[in-house]
């Protein structure tokens, strides 16, 4: 890189009226290149401005570390308030159901997108965010794990939900009248054969932000040629008829959601969500690893975890294709540095980060992988929750 470097890395403690973060800290990053970083909306992603072009960077390191010592669910006088859980969508969305399953009685904070839900937590409008991350059915892969990399929230809980899709129409409409089906892209992908079985394979499919949003759209416009794929609860909320239940391609359709918070849970919080002291298998740790070298690192990873007798419950290799992942490593030895990776590995293993075997395994991984970040350590919850009676 030819340009000169005087980089600024800024952690904003608030926003200016134009929505940009105020810089409260700046430090040099990369001698020889003129780079400027600032934190946008107080998240861990920074913008790299080089030659007039901007790129978002994932950040290794947690800008919130040590700051947020109190649960924001705790009010001014120490009185516990309702936990506010941000989710993508509107009431009736599956993510809302996952939020209330994880935190019964919580206050749902509806958000336009997944990243908005994360921002809601970062800007303290919510205490937790909930994101769907993987499902038993194929379809549009949920790339929410990538979002975790661009922010510094911690995974504090997981929750599994049996997702039963229903076909909803305006009152009195018959399925033969349906010319268009609307839903979240994942729901549309999960119901392709289901729609065929209902004789609706030739209708137009339209993807919208969330399943409940599709139901609300049909309701608010009084559409008589459009159906929504959503939950039965969405039918109740938006006054729609359920013309078919269980329209997913396979009867077994489970989605795993992650609950995110600004700080890791305390022991007390973990006991509250079912931690059993001394039982290692009851814990899970999610990490992300990237290496400049590429796929050969996979074998090394597998042998490290196998040597320490730690089971993996998820291993996702995510080739970054033409757009390598750029990571601003603020914890790098010798000062923050920008790195590029062609492969990113998402791993969940069955042990607590605090377990000595896990610590040794992580130490070994850190020796050969260029980038390792622990996304969270939380109580494993294999239970599958159902919504419909
Ligand atoms: O759109 C929704 O209702 C969501 O919460 C996202 C989603 C969609 C399909 C399955 C699980 C979550």
């Amino acid at each position: 890189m030819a340009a000169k470097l005087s980089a600024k890395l800024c952690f904003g403690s608030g926003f200016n009226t134009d929505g940009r973060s105020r810089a409260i800290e700046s430090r040099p990053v990369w001698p020889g290149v003129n780079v400027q970083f600032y934190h946008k909306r107080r998240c861990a992603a920074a913008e790299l401005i080089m030659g007039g072009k901007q790129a978002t960077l994932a950040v290794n390191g947690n800008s919130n570390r040590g700051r947020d010592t109190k649960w924001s669910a705790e009010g001014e006088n120490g009185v516990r308030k309702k936990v506010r859980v941000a989710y993508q969508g509107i009431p009736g969305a599956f993510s809302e159901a996952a939020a209330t399953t994880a935190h019964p009685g919580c206050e749902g904070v509806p958000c336009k997108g997944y990243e908005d839900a994360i921002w809601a937590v970062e800007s303290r409008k919510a205490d937790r965010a909930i994101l769907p991350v993987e499902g038993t059915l194929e379809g549009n892969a949920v790339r929410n794990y990538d979002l975790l990399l661009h922010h510094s929230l911690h995974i504090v809980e997981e929750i599994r939900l049996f997702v039963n899709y229903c076909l909803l129409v305006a009152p009195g409409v018959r399925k033969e009248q349906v010319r268009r089906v609307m839903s979240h892209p994942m729901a549309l992908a999960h119901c392709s054969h289901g729609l065929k079985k209902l004789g609706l394979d030739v209708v137009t499919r339209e993807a919208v932000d969330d399943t409940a949003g599709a139901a609300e759209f049909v309701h608010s416009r009084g559409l008589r040629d459009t159906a929504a794929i959503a939950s039965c609860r969405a039918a109740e909320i938006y006054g729609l008829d359920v013309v078919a239940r269980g329209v997913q391609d396979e009867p077994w359709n489970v989605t795993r959601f992650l609950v995110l918070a600004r700080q890791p849970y305390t022991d007390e919080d973990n006991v509250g969500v079912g931690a059993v002291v001394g039982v290692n298998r009851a814990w899970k740790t999610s990490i992300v690893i990237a290496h400049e070298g590429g796929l050969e690192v996979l074998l090394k990873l597998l042998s490290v975890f196998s040597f320490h007798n730690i089971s993996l419950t998820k291993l996702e290799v995510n080739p970054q294709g033409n757009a390598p992942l750029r990571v601003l490593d603020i914890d790098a030895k010798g000062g923050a540095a920008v790195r590029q990776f062609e492969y990113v590995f998402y791993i969940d293993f069955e042990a607590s980060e605090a377990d000595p075997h896990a610590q040794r395994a992580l130490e070994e991984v850190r020796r050969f992988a260029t980038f390792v970040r622990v996304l969270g350590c939380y109580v494993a919850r294999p239970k599958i929750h159902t919504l419909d009676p």
Side-chain angles (χ1 to χ4, degrees), residues 65-376:
R65 227 177 258 158
R67 287 219 190 123
D68 190 15
T69 48
K70 263 191 151 193
W71 281 114
S72 49
E74 201 145 292
E76 303 261 296
N77 341 314
V79 179
R80 262 186 113 72
K81 291 192 297 182
K82 262 189 180 181
V83 177
R84 299 161 303 171
V85 186
Y87 62 92
Q88 191 235 27
I90 61 171
F94 290 106
S95 299
E96 186 211 31
T100 52
T101 307
H103 288 272
C106 68
E107 180 188 329
V109 180
C111 297
K112 175 113 180 75
Y114 296 118
E115 198 153 26
D116 298 302
I118 291 178
W119 282 333
V121 178
E122 287 173 332
S123 60
R124 294 172 183 267
K125 292 190 181 82
D127 308 300
R128 313 273 193 280
I130 193 149
L131 299 186
V133 283
E134 64 202 43
T136 46
L137 291 188
E138 286 303 312
N140 269 14
V142 182
R143 293 291 358 126
N144 281 340
Y145 259 94
D146 286 346
L147 269 184
L148 297 183
L149 248 186
H150 291 97
H151 294 266
S152 58
L153 297 185
H154 301 262
I155 303 173
V156 288
E157 287 178 61
E158 64 170 355
I159 192 112
R160 286 186 167 72
L161 199 69
F162 176 74
V163 169
N164 200 29
Y165 295 116
C166 300
L167 192 71
L168 314 182
V169 291
V173 169
R174 285 171 296 109
K175 76 172 167 30
E176 292 71 27
Q177 293 170 259
V178 172
R179 296 284 166 269
R180 174 169 68 159
V181 175
M182 297 175 84
S183 198
H184 183 280
M186 203 158 64
L188 290 172
H190 289 169
C191 298
S192 177
H193 299 299
L195 289 176
K196 196 171 179 183
K197 276 193 221 150
L198 290 169
L200 296 173
D201 46 328
V202 288
V203 300
T204 313
R205 288 163 207 202
E206 207 171 303
V208 289
D209 287 341
D210 75 298
T211 56
E216 195 280 332
F217 190 82
V218 172
H219 157 78
S220 61
R221 287 169 174 73
L223 301 173
R224 301 193 65 79
D225 64 346
T226 305
I229 297 174
S231 64
C232 289
R233 187 170 125 73
E236 276 168 35
I237 298 174
Y238 304 106
L240 299 179
D241 285 353
V242 179
V243 284
R245 282 167 200 264
V247 291
Q248 58 271 15
D249 298 347
E250 301 290 337
W252 192 238
N253 182 28
V254 175
T255 300
R256 177 172 174 246
F257 293 83
L258 298 176
V259 180
L260 313 175
R262 286 185 295 275
Q263 289 293 302
Y265 273 0
T266 60
D267 291 348
E268 192 195 337
D269 295 315
N270 278 320
V271 169
V273 294
V276 184
V277 178
V279 181
N280 204 23
R281 275 184 162 262
W283 290 91
K284 252 190 196 178
T285 302
S286 296
I287 58 173
V288 58
I289 291 169
H291 188 62
E292 275 123 354
L295 270 179
E296 71 274 4
V297 81
L298 188 58
L299 275 179
K300 287 189 185 170
L301 278 174
L302 292 175
S303 61
V304 165
F305 285 101
S306 143
F307 180 80
H308 290 283
N309 207 13
I310 297 173
S311 308
L312 305 187
T313 55
K314 175 192 179 83
L315 169 61
E316 197 179 307
V317 184
N318 197 10
Q320 299 292 307
N322 294 334
L325 176 79
R326 273 179 292 260
V327 172
L328 169 60
D329 192 349
I330 60 176
D331 282 348
K333 284 180 208 130
V338 179
R339 298 211 163 102
Q340 298 212 93
F341 301 103
E342 278 169 38
Y343 289 94
V344 175
F345 304 90
Y346 290 107
I347 293 174
D348 290 350
F349 61 81
E350 262 183 343
S352 159
E353 190 192 358
D355 176 82
H357 294 284
Q359 288 191 349
R360 275 196 290 276
L362 283 171
E363 242 172 65
E364 283 167 34
V365 170
R366 282 196 178 99
R367 256 181 248 145
F368 62 80
T370 328
F371 173 80
V372 182
R373 182 167 144 202
V374 175
L375 296 172

